[in-house]
Amino acid sequence: MTAPRSLATLAAAVAVAAMAGAASADYRLTILHFNDFHSRFEPVSKYDGPCSSEEDEAGECFGGIARMKTWLDKRRAELADENVITISAGDEFQGSLFYTTYKGDATAQLMNEIGLDVVALGNHEFDDGPRVLADYLAKVNYPIISGNTDVSGEPLLANKIPGYVVLNVGGEKIGVVSVLATDTDETSAPGPNVKFEDEIAYLARAVPELEKQGVNKIIALTHSGFPRDLEIAAAAPGIDVIVGGHSHTFLSASDPKRQGGYPTWVTGPAGALVPIVQSYAYSKYIGDLTVDFDDEGNVLFAEGDSMLLDASVTPDPAMAARVAELAKPLEEIKAKVVAEAAASIDGERASCRARECEMGVLVAEAMLAKTAPSGITIAIANGGGLRASIDAGPVTMGEVLTVLPFQNTIATMKLKGADVVEALENAVSKIEEGAGRFAQVAGLRYAFDADREPGSRITTVEVKAGDGWAPIEPETVYGVVTNNYMRGGGDGYATFRDKAMDAYDYGPNLEEAVAAYLGAHSPYQPKLLGNIVEGAGFGSGAAMTADSEKPAAKSADPATAADTAMIYVVRPGDTLWDIAKAKLGDATLYTRIIEMNGLPSGAVLSIGQELRLPE
């Protein structure tokens, strides 16, 4: 069974849940949660990168673990006589110099202080292999769980990661069971001894085990991404609530720029409604969900919101002091100004995993510039390796490291043209999921059709030829630069691992090459080159972009059928607010899109969905 996709179904679910809220709750549980912290111990800017002292003084910083502690302590004090748990949906590792320098030590030391009841294992917890993860597990004071992750064959981890825990909260047993994205062996480095089972198959076994222990309230704490959470809710029996992570999805009950409602409701396999929540990433938000259950453990009602940790939340002084102490050795590295940016450089997840983005152009061109003297003509970077934007003005090494936190090296190889195309097929094979394998390129341009089956989506590939472009030749051997993670098969790039010739994985660090390129082109002007398009190809009228006109879908509201409209096809990361701003010139006109398409308030958009827009 798959998740219901129609907006009408979701709207009906919310309406039914709201009516259920009138019923008397036999047991009320508040779930405080966050996800995808990614080593953001210090406050972050609006671009999710480091926040400068000037921005901090102006009240423009968000999050950071000291703010998290203040907010959590205050909220738990308000709920002192009630039932409360505090949980994380994983990915505490990776994303700043704190992780690069201290690995899991700082994470364990500081996370131990904020009162976590249970944490999901994230894919990035494997980034430095089983040994670093094992050291982390030995230092934390909270359980880290992942049921579909089989570590029995890995001596460093065997018997250290349970699939679920049972918490006693207010005299009631609360089961918390966790699953992890099954492509973790492609997106991280768990090693050959760690295996991953299908999430739904594992839950089908784990839920009855919990029920046999007298547990009738079961929370799935997932790190599989929001699209997969929708499928889990619809297909996995016995799950009452899903608290998710991995996709950095911003669900909200109040913000018009949200990517979906908080909670989002899905009808489960037995007909019960399952609330799903997720609260973006990078310590900017903490989710606050209240769930009412009856005596049998059925969800009567759920409500809450993702709470923004802005300047109105005062950082905990003791925690802030500990962070500052750990940050001292990092300051000299972070503070070095390497260039000037003439405008902000977009490195947002929703951009770089779906289409050409400004940060992707920068990184790919920097890689190519570094290696072109060695005969390299094509650069391919994974969108998932770009972790933040950079704002206009002075660019510090700290900002570059926030964009590129993985300490990847530049890797070069030779590939036949046919193998380059094969690699690009992998790049667009999971675009509807917003997967990190999406390719940002230089010295090459490609077109794709996302409506085709994976493996046959690439429609055109051309390589730079003097001042122009020429079709890629299947048997011609090309010099290609990427990063060592992708060259080793990461993000599904098995072609780079298995078919590369004359491969060399030990070039300079990628962040150093990008910093040098920025410095050589300072002030750097962000740009898009049109090297990635959706449709048939390039040239006059040949390429059809994602928001090109297609045959109009029937409107859900017959009264609007006479309106003059253009058709927009929803892409990963789109919100009604952003679509209105980009296409209509005024974000507040999102209400007009709702009206024209007969959408409910808080509608969840589906990738590939056609929307009618006023011309």
Side-chain angles (χ1 to χ4, degrees), residues 445-482:
R445 63 183 188 177
Y446 69 94
F448 66 96
D449 184 349
D451 292 331
R452 294 184 181 181
E453 287 296 311
S456 60
R457 290 178 168 177
I458 296 295
T459 57
T460 303
V461 180
E462 297 178 351
V463 294
K464 203 80 173 74
D467 294 330
W469 297 90
I472 195 165
E473 295 292 341
E475 292 301 314
T476 298
V477 175
Y478 297 89
V480 179
V481 61
T482 186

Side-chain angles (χ1 to χ4, degrees), residues 4-14 259-260 264-265 556 570 576 593-594 597-606 609-611:
R5 296 295 183 183
S6 76
L7 298 169
T9 300
L10 292 172
V14 173
Q259 292 170 280
T264 292
W265 293 89
V570 174
L576 291 171
I593 302 175
I594 289 175
N597 292 274
L599 303 178
S601 177
V604 178
L605 301 179
S606 300
Q609 176 185 352
E610 293 184 349
L611 295 176

Side-chain angles (χ1 to χ4, degrees), residues 492-539:
Y493 282 90
T495 303
F496 289 173
R497 180 191 64 213
D498 300 337
K499 298 184 178 181
M501 299 172 281
D502 298 334
Y504 182 74
D505 297 336
Y506 309 107
N509 277 19
L510 180 55
E511 71 275 9
E512 293 173 1
V514 171
Y517 186 83
L518 281 167
H521 295 80
S522 184
Y524 180 78
Q525 180 63 54
K527 58 191 174 183
L528 295 175
L529 301 176
N531 286 345
I532 305 170
V533 300
E534 187 169 359
F538 301 92

Side-chain angles (χ1 to χ4, degrees), residues 89-138:
D91 268 6
E92 267 60 68
F93 281 13
Q94 199 61 266
S96 77
L97 271 177
F98 278 84
Y99 181 77
T100 304
T101 303
Y102 299 112
K103 301 305 178 185
D105 290 348
T107 306
Q109 180 187 147
L110 298 178
M111 284 289 176
N112 279 344
E113 300 298 318
I114 65 173
L116 287 163
D117 292 294
V118 60
V119 170
L121 184 68
N123 59 309
H124 285 290
E125 269 72 85
F126 282 110
D127 276 2
D128 283 284
R131 184 170 297 282
V132 169
L133 175 55
D135 290 344
Y136 174 60
L137 293 171

Side-chain angles (χ1 to χ4, degrees), residues 116-393:
L116 287 163
D117 292 294
V118 60
V119 170
L121 184 68
N123 59 309
H124 285 290
E125 269 72 85
F126 282 110
D127 276 2
D128 283 284
R131 184 170 297 282
V132 169
L133 175 55
D135 290 344
Y136 174 60
L137 293 171
K139 294 173 181 175
V140 296
N141 60 12
Y142 43 84
I144 296 177
I145 62 175
S146 185
N148 70 324
T149 303
D150 180 4
V151 295
S152 60
E154 173 48 66
L156 292 167
L157 298 174
N159 301 313
K160 295 179 180 179
I161 304 174
Y164 56 78
V165 295
V166 178
L167 306 175
N168 191 314
V169 185
E172 291 286 322
K173 292 180 178 180
I174 308 297
V176 183
V177 59
S178 187
V179 289
L180 174 59
T182 57
D183 63 350
T184 294
D185 58 342
E186 297 178 356
T187 63
S188 190
N193 300 327
V194 180
K195 310 299 180 185
F196 302 93
E197 182 183 0
D198 177 79
E199 299 101 325
I200 294 171
Y202 168 73
L203 291 169
R205 292 188 291 105
V207 168
E209 290 180 17
L210 285 164
E211 292 174 339
K212 286 179 182 178
Q213 299 175 43
V215 178
N216 66 3
K217 303 171 186 66
I218 299 176
I219 300 166
L221 182 60
T222 69
H223 196 84
S224 296
F226 185 63
R228 185 60 169 158
D229 286 344
L230 295 173
E231 296 172 351
I232 290 170
I239 299 298
D240 296 306
V241 179
I242 295 179
V243 178
H246 188 52
S247 55
H248 300 199
T249 304
F250 178 43
L251 302 183
S252 173
S254 56
D255 193 329
K257 298 177 74 174
R258 64 192 178 183
Q259 292 170 280
Y262 184 109
T264 292
W265 293 89
V266 169
T267 303
L273 295 168
V274 181
I276 304 172
V277 292
Q278 190 175 153
S279 293
Y280 188 53
Y282 307 128
S283 78
K284 274 189 175 178
Y285 295 87
I286 292 178
D288 187 345
L289 180 71
T290 297
V291 186
D292 291 343
F293 297 89
D294 66 16
D295 282 337
E296 285 71 46
N298 300 307
V299 173
L300 297 173
F301 185 58
E303 65 178 350
D305 208 349
S306 292
M307 312 303 293
L308 179 64
L309 304 189
D310 59 13
S312 66
V313 180
T314 302
D316 178 82
M319 182 66 83
R322 296 182 69 176
V323 171
E325 188 67 27
L326 288 167
K328 283 180 181 178
L330 317 180
E331 288 307 314
E332 185 176 347
I333 300 171
K334 290 165 58 178
K336 181 182 178 182
V337 174
V338 297
E340 187 91 9
S344 62
I345 308 170
D346 175 26
E348 293 302 303
R349 179 188 184 97
S351 303
C352 297
R353 296 178 180 224
R355 49 190 175 268
E356 184 180 62
C357 69
E358 292 168 348
M359 193 66 71
V361 170
L362 165 61
V363 171
E365 289 201 325
M367 292 164 63
L368 189 56
K370 186 70 176 178
T371 56
S374 303
I376 301 299
T377 60
I378 294 170
I380 301 178
N382 55 329
L386 312 176
R387 309 303 286 190
S389 299
I390 292 176
D391 53 3

